[in-house]
């Protein structure tokens, strides 16, 4: 088991990017579903450290970026995941950095209405650290590090990361919520 995790970690080292914009569910104030779109760039570093850059967009093609979110921290490997041989349960703990950058005025204006406490006025292309702060839009509480419970699965040059690695055929519930397919990435700068 340890040898498998060591090989996964070695293969994972480097940079990974979303293949295409992802669609994620969210809810309108009336409870109806509304989609939002994002692309991710993920870097796995030695000592189980990671950096994640997420850009949320208003459209499915990623042509109208709204906000950039940067988090950094540590991955805590929790053992095998039953979805597939080699899949691992991993906790992503944002214990080093959490930063938000509005990319359009409308999003900056929204943050100035709903997330002004403890923050400077929000402005386009002006990043602000929300690390360790309460941040209502993301459900963050002061003094608490964000943590995501996910899985990691490598298949060839593809990285599957999320609560389930399904494109439609199979899904496995997460430990904290309903099954969803999060994203598939390609890349890894150390491969030739």
């Amino acid at each position: 088991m340890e040898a498998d995790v060591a090989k996964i970690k070695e293969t994972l080292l480097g940079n990974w990017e979303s293949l295409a914009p992802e669609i994620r569910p969210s809810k309108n104030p009336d409870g109806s579903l509304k989609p939002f779109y994002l692309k991710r760039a993920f870097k796995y570093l030695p000592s189980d450290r990671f950096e994640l850059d997420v850009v949320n967009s208003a459209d499915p093609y990623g042509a109208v970026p709204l906000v950039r979110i940067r988090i950094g921290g540590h991955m805590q490997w929790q053992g095998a995941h039953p979805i597939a041989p080699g899949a691992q349960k991993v906790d992503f703990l944002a214990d080093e950095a959490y930063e938000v950058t509005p990319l359009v005025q409308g999003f900056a204006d929204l943050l100035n209405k709903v997330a002004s406490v403890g923050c400077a006025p929000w402005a386009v292309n002006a990043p602000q650290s929300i690390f360790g702060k309460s941040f209502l839009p993301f459900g963050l509480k002061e003094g608490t590090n964000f943590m995501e419970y996910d899985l990691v699965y490598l298949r060839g040059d593809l990285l599957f990361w999320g609560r389930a690695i399904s494109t439609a055929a199979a899904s496995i519930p997460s430990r904290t919520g309903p099954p969803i397919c999060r994203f598939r990435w390609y890349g890894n700068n150390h491969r030739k």
Side-chain angles (χ1 to χ4, degrees):
M1 176 67 168
E2 287 301 316
D4 291 341
V5 172
K7 179 148 178 64
I8 292 167
K9 290 180 180 185
E10 179 183 330
T11 305
L12 191 60
L13 280 172
N15 298 316
W16 299 82
E17 294 184 14
S18 299
L19 286 168
E22 307 163 44
I23 185 170
R24 297 293 306 273
S26 66
K27 290 189 177 181
N28 290 307
D30 67 2
S32 63
L33 291 178
K34 81 173 177 184
F36 73 95
Y37 308 94
L38 57 93
K39 285 192 81 168
R40 304 176 202 231
F42 171 73
K43 185 184 291 186
Y44 181 64
L45 304 163
S47 301
D48 292 323
R49 290 188 55 248
F50 76 93
E51 295 173 358
L52 178 64
D53 191 42
V54 179
V55 176
N56 287 357
S57 299
D59 67 296
Y61 303 106
V64 184
L66 301 173
V67 62
R68 173 176 287 111
I69 303 161
R70 290 191 170 142
I71 64 173
H74 291 85
M75 295 169 63
Q76 300 169 338
W77 298 80
Q78 303 296 332
H81 196 293
I83 187 104
Q88 295 291 313
K89 294 181 274 188
V90 179
D91 296 340
F92 291 83
L93 179 62
D95 60 351
E96 292 182 353
Y98 205 128
E99 182 181 277
V100 176
T101 306
L103 301 175
V104 296
Q105 189 59 52
F107 199 83
D109 293 344
L110 175 66
L111 289 179
N112 282 318
K113 289 179 185 172
V114 300
S116 60
V117 176
C119 295
W122 292 94
V124 173
N125 294 320
Q128 282 197 59
S129 174
I130 59 169
F131 185 72
K133 297 178 182 178
S134 291
F135 194 72
L136 181 64
F138 298 170
L140 301 177
K141 295 184 179 163
E142 185 172 353
T144 304
N145 293 326
F146 171 80
M147 183 185 293
E148 182 88 4
Y149 308 97
D150 288 313
L151 68 82
V152 168
Y153 178 70
L154 292 166
R155 184 169 179 171
D157 287 341
L158 294 177
L159 166 61
F160 297 82
W161 184 37
R163 293 185 189 145
I165 53 172
S166 162
T167 54
S171 65
I172 264 273
S174 81
R175 296 185 322 222
T176 60
I180 59 170
C181 175
R182 289 256 289 227
F183 50 96
R184 292 182 286 182
W185 292 343
Y186 76 96
N188 206 330
N189 64 356
H190 75 280
R191 295 180 188 205
K192 302 283 182 208

